[in-house]
Structure formats: structure tokens, C-alpha cells
Amino acid sequence: MNRRLRHLMRGTTQRESLEFFDSLEAVEPDFMKGLWKGSEMPSGHPMDGLLTLVPWYGKRFVNAENVHPLVMIDKQKRLYSVNPDLLLKFAEMSVKLKMRSEMKNAHIFDGFLKIFTTKKSKARLREVKFRGVMTAAMIYDNLKIIDIFRKVDENTVLGVMDFKGRMHETYYFFVLRRK
């Protein structure tokens, strides 16, 4: 993994994260096809630490029209997709209640999350212009969120979650590694 990225993943600022993101090259939508393992990159966003509360595995890009934005992993190491439309309400509540400081076991919500299991695609893959560069982006079907990607290396991308609305003042950063 890129040494600078490894350093930033320990925790950074929005400014440093954006500078690194801007230094990376664009990716084509086809580059994103497949299963990717995700990790957070803490940068001062209200959602920092939230995905560590749940057994988030990553994302699955089947093709341009079929994307599974929230792939989870259960205790038996089985992957399943959850509906982000419903889970976001839980995430907003968690941010408000600051649950992330109290919860340490990601699998505590396994049973709860399986209620939101879906086999349906919940996002699309397109190219968008973000910060002056055309690059691959995942557009959620029913949420006011776009995840924009830049290439770190052949098997790693840095993602920026761009929210419309009250969480738009800062970006949520994450890393995806090809599996």
C-alpha cells in the first residue's frame, strides 16, 4: 500500500485528505468492477468510526447498473448486502447518540443488520466531474450521496463520500482494496 495513504489512514484532516485525493489519478467505471474490501480513513467527518460499529466488508460492483454499496460480513465469514436506504437512518441516529465511543464489537448488530439484507442493486456506477476531474463515481439509487473514486494503485482506490444536505460541509473518506 502507498506509504502516504498508510500514514493518512491513522487519522488526518479534511485538508490533508483532499490534497492526497486531488493528487491521485482518475479511474474508469470498468476499473471498479468486482468485490472490494473497505476501510475508513478518519478525517474529522461526523461518520468517522461509524462503519467500525458494523461488520462492514466493502462494496461490490457488478456492472454500471448494479452496485451493492454496503457489503457486510457475518461471524461465519459470509458476505451479504444491506439496503443503505434503511441503514442510513440507523447511521444518523448513531452519530447523534455518539454510539461509536460505546460500542466495540462490530458483530453486535449482526441480527439487526440482516433485517436490511437485500439482493437488489442499490447504486449505479458513472463518471462524474468532481474537483475538476472526470472519474468513476457510485451514485446511490435513493440517497443523496455520491461516492467518488481515485486510483491509488492497481488494487486500491480512495473514495470520498459526498453528501447533499447537512453533512455536506465535510467529506467522509474511505479506502477500497480489490479482492
Side-chain angles (χ1 to χ4, degrees):
M1 183 191 329
N2 178 293
R3 185 168 32 166
R4 174 130 165 107
L5 177 59
R6 210 173 12 251
H7 168 74
L8 293 173
M9 287 188 67
R10 290 186 212 123
T12 184
T13 65
Q14 288 281 306
R15 185 181 60 73
E16 283 181 305
S17 298
L18 284 169
E19 284 174 5
F20 182 62
F21 182 84
D22 289 343
S23 76
L24 301 172
E25 67 181 272
V27 296
E28 297 287 326
D30 279 347
F31 179 83
M32 298 302 299
K33 286 183 183 174
L35 179 64
W36 296 76
K37 179 141 178 51
S39 304
E40 292 187 323
M41 189 169 95
S43 64
H45 190 274
M47 279 184 44
D48 283 354
L50 192 62
L51 286 176
T52 62
L53 288 178
V54 295
W56 180 54
Y57 182 85
K59 299 179 183 292
R60 183 186 311 271
F61 300 88
V62 178
N63 55 43
E65 295 301 316
N66 297 288
V67 176
H68 299 275
L70 283 176
V71 177
M72 303 293 177
I73 187 167
D74 66 18
K75 286 182 184 180
Q76 291 76 35
K77 307 294 183 208
R78 294 177 299 211
L79 300 179
Y80 62 99
S81 296
V82 297
N83 184 339
D85 310 352
L86 302 172
L87 194 60
L88 189 63
K89 292 181 187 324
F90 170 71
E92 289 173 347
M93 177 187 72
S94 297
V95 168
K96 287 177 188 172
L97 297 176
K98 300 294 182 191
M99 288 174 60
R100 54 181 179 233
S101 63
E102 298 168 18
M103 302 292 183
K104 301 295 180 208
N105 178 1
H107 291 287
I108 196 168
F109 295 112
D110 275 355
F112 176 72
L113 290 171
K114 293 222 174 161
I115 294 170
F116 303 124
T117 299
T118 184
K119 298 221 185 276
K120 293 181 182 179
S121 164
K122 290 295 179 178
R124 299 175 288 148
L125 196 55
R126 296 290 188 268
E127 279 187 297
V128 300
K129 190 171 189 177
F130 181 74
R131 299 183 59 83
V133 176
M134 287 294 288
T135 192
M138 185 188 78
I139 302 168
Y140 287 80
D141 290 345
N142 299 310
L143 299 173
K144 299 173 185 176
I145 302 171
I146 301 174
D147 291 350
I148 303 98
F149 306 106
R150 295 274 186 93
K151 184 178 180 181
V152 176
D153 61 41
E154 288 304 313
N155 294 303
T156 312
V157 295
L158 179 60
V160 173
M161 192 176 276
D162 183 23
F163 294 84
K164 181 178 180 180
R166 63 181 176 256
M167 283 204 276
H168 180 69
E169 294 83 33
T170 57
Y171 297 110
Y172 177 76
F173 291 87
F174 59 94
V175 175
L176 296 176
R177 290 184 192 87
R178 189 183 311 274
K179 287 298 176 192

